[in-house]
Amino acid sequence: AIFAAMPPGMVPPCARALWAFMMVRADTRASAWELADTLGLPVLLVVQPGGASVTLAAQIQGLMNFRKNSHVSGILLNDCSEKLYKMLKALLERETGLPVLGYLPHLPDAALESRHLGLKTAGEIADLQQKISRMADALVVDWEKLSILTEGAAPLVHTDRLLLRELPPQGAEEQRPRVPIAVARDAAFCFTYAETLEALERAGAELCWFSPLQDPALPEQIGGLYLPGGYPELYAKTLSENKTMLASIRQAVQAGLPTAAE
């Protein structure tokens, strides 16, 4: 937003390139809405009221009407006092026609810290389970209404709309040779989803963990390389000083090693 407000001559070239990339890719692909639409799932919209009241209803109406089928079926208020919840519940239900199913009060002792690219990862929060338990104990929800909202037969998945090939059934991976795949995992490369790793294993991969920060080279005899997301920019000095690892990855990629790098 800051770059967008600058005269073109003042915007750094790297920022102009980033802004152009964001403008090209700013769409609903892989969004929460597309997931709900693809799977036919009801959406419980979590909103943080702050100091808004009627404006909040306008924002929710915008989300409900932005797409022909928003799938928004209920509202949950986050970081909201009981008094404000009772006031907003009547207002929002009247203005949007959606049920307000509950709220999570302000819990400073359960806050999850964030940084420039989002929340800190689970592995970095020593008392994560205690924070989650604190939130679970404080959450106020009309479970009966929530159950009604989400009950029913499993939706039909339109497989022709999915961009993933069907994976083999679980257990089938034990019946064929496995391909070693090197997967980076350390403080710099820490954004991995369990589903991604499970999909690799079901497709026949043997996951070989390594640390670009600490290890001298890639694991031997690998058939692929996966560098997940994370915070490599915070460890640029250490990564750049690990010359043997840099050389190992460069040589492997130049030799044609299949590589996915976020």
Side-chain angles (χ1 to χ4, degrees):
I2 295 174
F3 291 146
M6 287 182 179
M10 293 178 60
V11 181
C14 62
R16 288 201 297 271
L18 175 62
W19 180 254
F21 175 78
M22 292 171 64
M23 292 298 288
V24 170
R25 295 298 304 273
D27 56 31
T28 57
R29 285 177 294 174
S31 65
W33 173 82
E34 185 182 58
L35 179 63
D37 192 58
T38 299
L39 300 179
L41 298 174
V43 171
L44 179 62
L45 184 64
V46 180
V47 293
Q48 187 165 336
S53 57
V54 179
T55 301
L56 192 63
Q59 293 172 337
I60 294 171
Q61 284 279 13
L63 289 169
M64 293 169 60
N65 299 317
F66 186 69
R67 286 288 182 266
K68 185 172 293 184
N69 189 349
S70 69
H71 300 279
V72 177
S73 303
I75 301 169
L76 182 72
L77 300 180
N78 184 32
D79 195 9
C80 178
S81 67
E82 181 180 6
K83 182 178 179 181
L84 182 59
Y85 163 73
K86 291 179 178 178
M87 186 273 287
L88 289 177
K89 175 177 170 63
L91 183 151
L92 294 177
E93 290 184 342
R94 181 179 70 249
E95 296 290 343
T96 68
L98 294 173
V100 179
L101 301 178
Y103 69 98
L104 183 67
H106 182 59
L107 301 171
D109 58 331
L112 301 179
E113 296 181 16
S114 61
R115 50 192 165 193
H116 62 293
L117 290 179
L119 294 174
K120 289 190 174 181
T121 59
E124 298 174 286
I125 305 173
D127 58 344
L128 177 61
Q129 194 56 55
Q130 289 86 341
K131 290 179 183 290
I132 293 175
S133 297
R134 176 78 177 93
M135 287 186 279
D137 292 339
L139 181 64
V140 177
V141 174
D142 187 330
W143 295 107
E144 184 177 353
K145 285 187 178 180
L146 181 61
S147 177
I148 294 173
L149 177 70
T150 57
E151 72 182 1
L156 294 175
V157 177
H158 303 289
T159 53
D160 58 320
R161 297 179 58 187
L162 299 178
L163 301 181
L164 299 175
R165 292 182 300 171
E166 183 178 354
L167 290 170
Q170 290 185 347
E173 64 271 17
E174 304 298 335
Q175 303 172 11
R176 57 184 173 183
R178 304 184 69 76
V179 178
I181 304 294
V183 181
R185 183 167 67 176
D186 56 23
F189 299 90
C190 52
F191 282 177
T192 52
Y193 292 94
E195 293 82 355
T196 302
L197 303 177
E198 291 170 2
L200 284 171
E201 290 182 320
R202 289 179 61 189
E206 175 189 351
L207 304 184
C208 303
W209 305 103
F210 76 102
S211 169
L213 286 172
Q214 299 177 357
D215 294 338
L218 288 172
E220 296 181 355
Q221 304 298 320
I222 54 175
L225 170 63
Y226 174 34
L227 297 171
Y231 291 98
E233 68 274 17
L234 299 182
Y235 301 90
K237 185 176 186 296
T238 304
L239 287 168
S240 64
E241 290 175 347
N242 192 349
K243 302 297 185 182
T244 58
M245 176 60 76
L246 292 175
S248 176
I249 293 177
R250 181 185 300 111
Q251 293 168 7
V253 172
Q254 289 178 344
L257 180 70
T259 301
E262 294 183 34

